[in-house]
Amino acid sequence: MTEWDVESAYHDWKTGIVVPETFQAASFPRVVAVCNQKGGVGKTTTAFELAMALIAHGLKVRIVDADDQEASVSVWLRYLLEAHPEDRRLNLRDLFFDAKVKLAEVSYPTPYERLTLVPSYPDLADVNAKHPTGTDTCLQHHLRKADDVDVTIIDCGPSLGAMTVSALIAADDVIIPVQAASGLDVRGAGALNRTIATVQERMNPDLRVAAAVLTDFERSTIARKIGGSLARAYPGAVILPARTNVKIGEAQLAKEPLRLFAPGSTTVRDYDKGARILFGLGAAA
């Protein structure tokens, strides 16, 4: 599909991934910011499941956890740091506050082959509060020099503070998750759009909105309207409906990727299709 259908009768409406004719798949290496200033829209699920889809295609992926909340991916994988002495458990905050710390020192292997994690703790909020020297370009400085992965995915927090701005300055692409049944998510996107436009104008003119993900997607009138609003707001972006699934919550409680917890689920298939479109990939191995 090249356009989101808002014209046909509801019973004739065919849902699917919208890929505009002008869309070009991403090249490698790539930095992607998963961003929405509203919480609870599926940012972490989107970041994690896209990462799992990409490593299934043989790519090397780094997740940068730029979310200081306790619902972030670091909470699932924080045990990885326990093998290191407490005074050497470096994390994303250290990258901002200590100029001597290198990206490799805050990157940890995970149980999933080809996936590394830059973790964070709640004290990452200090970056927004204290704005250490070089905050805006810190992630760009470190990530643009890195050649150890094909894709870096930055899981942004639910704010438009200094940390999110730093992620947007570093990124090539933005992916915006929006709950398919929440009109508030779309109405609240104006501030995010202004922030993206400011970053594009002043710091990162090549930044693009590559995709909008309709999370918890179910066929409904409101989901159709929200999809249409996103297609109008981001005419060059892929519109990806990621279907809802009760297994998502179960996988989160089990601290497992949905791709491994429920590999045949509709949500996993949707993120896999999205990864293939966004990055020009074939079928997963």
Side-chain angles (χ1 to χ4, degrees), residues 263-278:
S265 65
T266 54
T267 312
V268 168
R269 296 202 302 270
D270 292 338
Y271 279 113
D272 191 71
K273 289 177 183 176
R276 284 189 274 127
I277 290 168
L278 290 168

Side-chain angles (χ1 to χ4, degrees), residues 14-246:
K14 295 180 180 180
T15 62
I17 301 174
V18 172
V19 185
E21 293 180 351
T22 57
F23 180 79
Q24 293 186 341
S27 57
F28 303 109
R30 204 75 174 175
V31 178
V32 178
V34 179
C35 186
N36 189 323
Q37 81 274 21
K38 187 176 183 299
V41 298
K43 288 189 295 294
T44 296
T45 296
T46 295
F48 204 15
E49 294 307 323
L50 280 178
M52 294 301 297
L54 291 171
I55 65 173
H57 287 271
L59 297 174
K60 295 179 180 179
V61 180
R62 175 191 291 109
I63 294 179
V64 176
D65 186 0
D67 186 351
D68 58 35
Q69 294 191 115
E70 283 295 323
S72 67
V73 68
S74 290
V75 175
W76 301 358
L77 299 175
R78 194 169 286 165
Y79 68 89
L80 299 171
L81 280 69
E82 294 176 359
H84 301 265
E86 191 167 346
D87 62 346
R88 296 304 299 165
R89 294 177 187 175
L90 300 177
N91 59 80
L92 183 58
R93 182 188 183 279
D94 297 296
L95 205 64
F96 281 84
F97 281 90
D98 189 342
K100 296 179 181 179
V101 172
K102 307 300 181 185
L103 180 63
E105 296 179 273
V106 298
S107 298
Y108 296 82
T110 73
Y112 316 111
E113 188 177 4
R114 296 183 296 276
L115 179 65
T116 59
L117 171 70
V118 176
S120 66
Y121 288 87
D123 63 1
L124 183 67
D126 288 346
V127 175
N128 287 333
K130 300 179 180 179
H131 210 286
T133 302
T135 292
D136 287 352
T137 57
C138 180
L139 288 176
Q140 181 187 61
H141 169 75
H142 288 282
L143 294 177
R144 290 296 168 92
K145 294 193 300 182
D147 59 1
D148 56 327
V149 299
D150 301 296
V151 181
T152 294
I153 299 176
I154 308 173
D155 182 16
C156 298
S159 76
L160 296 178
M163 178 60 69
T164 295
V165 171
S166 184
L168 292 173
I169 290 171
D172 300 295
D173 294 331
V174 185
I175 294 176
I176 303 174
V178 174
Q179 277 193 318
S182 176
L184 292 175
D185 289 5
V186 174
R187 285 180 11 205
L192 174 60
N193 293 340
R194 289 190 294 273
T195 299
I196 291 172
T198 299
V199 170
Q200 288 171 326
E201 181 177 349
R202 299 180 182 178
M203 301 292 290
N204 187 0
D206 295 326
L207 179 67
R208 70 167 181 170
V209 177
V213 180
L214 284 162
T215 60
D216 294 328
F217 181 82
E218 290 182 302
R219 183 184 170 90
S220 67
T221 300
I222 184 64
R224 188 182 193 186
K225 289 180 179 178
I226 291 174
S229 296
L230 292 172
R232 289 191 298 273
Y234 311 112
V238 171
I239 307 298
L240 170 61
R243 285 169 286 182
T244 189
N245 194 305
V246 296

